[in-house]
Amino acid sequence: MTDTDIPLEAIAAKVGTPFFLYNAAILRERMADLAQLTRAEGVQARYAMKANSNAAILKEALAAGLWIDAVSGNEVLRAKRAGFAMGAEPPVVMLTCDVFRDNGLAVVVQEGVMPNVGSPGQIRELAEAGYRGPIAMRVNPGFGHGHVQACDTGGPSSKHGIWHEDLDGPIAMARDAGLRIEGLHAHVGTGPQIREFDENMRKLADVFGALLPRFPHAVAVNFGGGIPHPYRPNAERFELEPYRAFLSHAQGMLSKLAKRSVRVEIEPGRYPVAGMASLVARVKEVKATRSNDKGPGHAFIMVDAGFNDLIRPAMYGSYHHISVVGAGAGREPEPFAVAGPLCESGDVFTRDDQEVIQPRMLPRPEPGDLLVLHDAGAYGAVMSSNYVSLGRAPQVLWDDGRATLVSRRETVEDVVRAECDEAL
Ligand SMILES: *Cc1c(COP(=O)(O)O)cnc(C)c1O
């Protein structure tokens, strides 16, 4: 995003640091990409709202004509508040979860949104709860790959869905319970290699083709999300046009096989939102350790954002591009580790997936400069926490020259709001 056009200091003066900054122009562009990608008859994109569930984002998804993949009862209710239609005709909101908890089951029954079941137990629970609407079935096709090892979305070590060779029992259970299986679903994720995604999608089309004859009521197949986002500055941008052609081809091929019109769905989360946002932090200090027999020394840029705000580097070793705004910005780059305020050695934004510090070439900032962590729109604010009671950072939407606070900074009152002293 073009941070240079946005008055970061003026926004910081109003909301403090750190804060998430969302660029509405980029958001709309990416949402429109998805609408374009699925413009063919019988192809539909859902936005996997767990990537960023702020109402301002959901409204853009709604305006772009996207549907929703929700993964909890509360996400369904937030989609409803943002204006998405409930019910299953058509199934604008689908609930995909490995386990029903809290209000998940009740929301399906009350709102009539289509559940996407990933285990026989969920079919039993739905039947017992009195649900009689359509369902989708999530299949583990036996292969897949997340963007890192820790994200295993398909294959023998994935917990998601029903193993593709074990579908007979669940199909019979659904039939006996009077639940029509109207959708088939698999989400195999983004591999580290951009080509792996294409390959997985082609393999998935074959799997769906082979499975469809056993699902006489299926009117939709869902290829999941996982469209890659280029996090590194020199990374290849994923080409949507061949994917669009693939989806349209798959729609025709699967419809022909099934001898009825089969809707092809996708549900990207990261793609439309990752690039529209930055996490803007304040540089507090620049300090160094020295090499000794235990290892090399590092120069540390200490900022006021931590893994409580953006956990992806600490959890997955994910790369976020970093830039310095302020007095130090033009200096010759030197290797720096960027670290946050938490009493945790893992509170470092420049780590690899082996948890090893990977110094980044950055200009030496002055304390007081801003440090921008880019591409923080997906799995950023939504994965932030109240760890160490800091309160979650505010979210600011920059739209057409105007900044709007779309989630305020949490206070100590927010942090303790659920605490109580109640006899049970
Ligand atoms: C997380 C998730 C997605 C979105 O994945 P991205 O990599 O963000 O595109 C889609 N479908 C399901 C079921 C998911 O759990």
Side-chain angles (χ1 to χ4, degrees):
M1 67 192 286
T2 52
D3 301 301
T4 44
D5 305 339
I6 303 179
L8 299 183
E9 282 294 2
I11 297 171
K14 293 216 164 118
V15 303
T17 53
F19 63 91
F20 285 96
L21 178 65
Y22 298 163
N23 186 326
I26 296 176
L27 172 64
R28 271 182 214 126
E29 212 173 285
R30 292 289 97 80
M31 291 280 185
D33 283 351
L34 287 184
Q36 244 331 81
L37 173 63
T38 53
R39 69 176 186 268
E41 186 67 25
V43 184
Q44 178 68 44
R46 296 175 182 278
Y47 168 50
M49 64 179 279
K50 73 172 193 281
N52 190 323
S53 43
N54 188 286
I57 309 301
L58 296 181
K59 282 180 182 147
E60 292 298 335
L62 181 68
L66 305 186
W67 290 2
I68 288 288
D69 182 59
V71 293
S72 71
N74 283 348
E75 279 198 351
V76 173
L77 297 178
R78 290 179 79 178
K80 183 183 183 184
R81 286 163 75 127
F84 286 92
M86 298 286 103
E89 289 174 11
V92 170
V93 176
M94 180 166 78
L95 174 62
T96 301
C97 54
D98 293 334
V99 167
F100 288 121
R101 58 164 275 183
D102 301 334
N103 57 358
L105 202 50
V107 164
V108 168
V109 173
Q110 279 156 25
E111 305 294 346
V113 295
M114 191 156 90
N116 182 16
V117 301
S119 69
Q122 287 189 297
I123 300 172
R124 194 175 312 116
E125 281 182 283
L126 284 163
E128 282 169 12
Y131 179 76
R132 294 292 175 266
I135 64 172
M137 195 168 274
R138 180 172 189 172
V139 177
N140 180 338
F143 63 90
H145 210 308
H147 59 289
V148 290
Q149 279 303 334
C151 280
D152 209 340
T153 41
S157 61
S158 167
K159 72 180 178 103
H160 302 298
I162 302 172
W163 186 252
H164 62 110
E165 294 161 317
D166 297 331
L167 293 166
D168 289 342
I171 290 173
M173 269 178 80
R175 188 188 50 230
D176 294 348
L179 301 176
R180 282 160 69 103
I181 307 171
E182 295 194 357
L184 268 177
H185 174 280
H187 167 66
V188 292
T190 313
Q193 305 303 325
I194 209 160
R195 292 285 82 81
E196 195 182 346
F197 181 76
D198 299 336
E199 203 179 298
N200 280 344
M201 290 300 112
R202 278 196 298 274
K203 277 158 73 180
L204 206 47
D206 292 340
V207 170
F208 283 141
L211 289 179
L212 265 177
R214 293 162 64 194
F215 293 86
H217 302 294
V219 290
V221 295
N222 187 314
F223 284 77
I227 301 179
H229 173 77
Y231 282 96
R232 290 174 191 264
N234 52 358
E236 202 183 336
R237 180 163 271 290
F238 182 74
E239 288 280 343
L240 288 181
E241 187 48 37
Y243 192 35
R244 190 196 62 72
F246 163 82
L247 292 171
S248 154
H249 169 79
Q251 201 274 331
M253 189 267 284
L254 294 169
S255 296
K256 206 161 147 198
L257 259 173
K259 299 191 180 63
R260 61 180 174 278
S261 180
V262 174
R263 184 174 65 244
V264 162
E265 298 181 0
I266 55 167
E267 49 188 29
R270 165 191 331 276
Y271 178 82
V273 292
M276 60 119 194
S278 299
L279 175 62
V280 182
R282 182 77 67 190
V283 175
K284 303 298 286 188
E285 193 86 65
V286 180
K287 65 182 187 181
T289 57
R290 294 176 194 273
S291 303
N292 69 7
D293 58 346
K294 302 279 188 276
H298 292 291
F300 284 93
I301 298 173
M302 305 298 296
V303 297
D304 59 3
F307 75 55
N308 54 316
D309 303 300
L310 180 65
I311 202 170
R312 299 184 70 251
M315 189 148 80
Y316 306 123
S318 308
Y319 178 95
H320 283 268
H321 196 57
I322 295 175
S323 53
V324 169
V325 178
R331 293 178 181 158
E332 244 347 87
E334 306 167 42
F336 283 106
V338 176
L342 307 179
C343 292
E344 293 276 344
S345 53
D347 190 26
V348 172
F349 289 113
T350 47
R351 304 199 326 161
D352 63 17
D353 57 5
Q354 306 301 308
E355 308 190 354
V356 176
I357 290 183
Q358 290 291 344
R360 196 76 66 82
M361 295 304 285
L362 291 167
R364 177 177 290 269
E366 289 298 320
D369 284 356
L370 293 173
L371 183 132
V372 181
L373 291 141
H374 296 265
D375 303 291
Y379 309 107
V382 290
M383 281 192 170
S384 64
S385 73
N386 269 327
Y387 184 52
V388 308
S389 301
L390 277 165
R392 280 172 295 191
Q395 300 166 51
V396 175
L397 183 73
W398 177 258
D399 190 4
D400 200 17
R402 268 199 305 273
T404 305
L405 188 63
V406 295
S407 185
R408 63 165 173 76
R409 187 179 302 284
E410 288 184 339
T411 64
V412 69
E413 299 307 325
D414 295 310
V415 172
V416 301
R417 194 166 50 195
E419 283 186 350
C420 49
D421 181 14
E422 228 174 72
L424 295 174

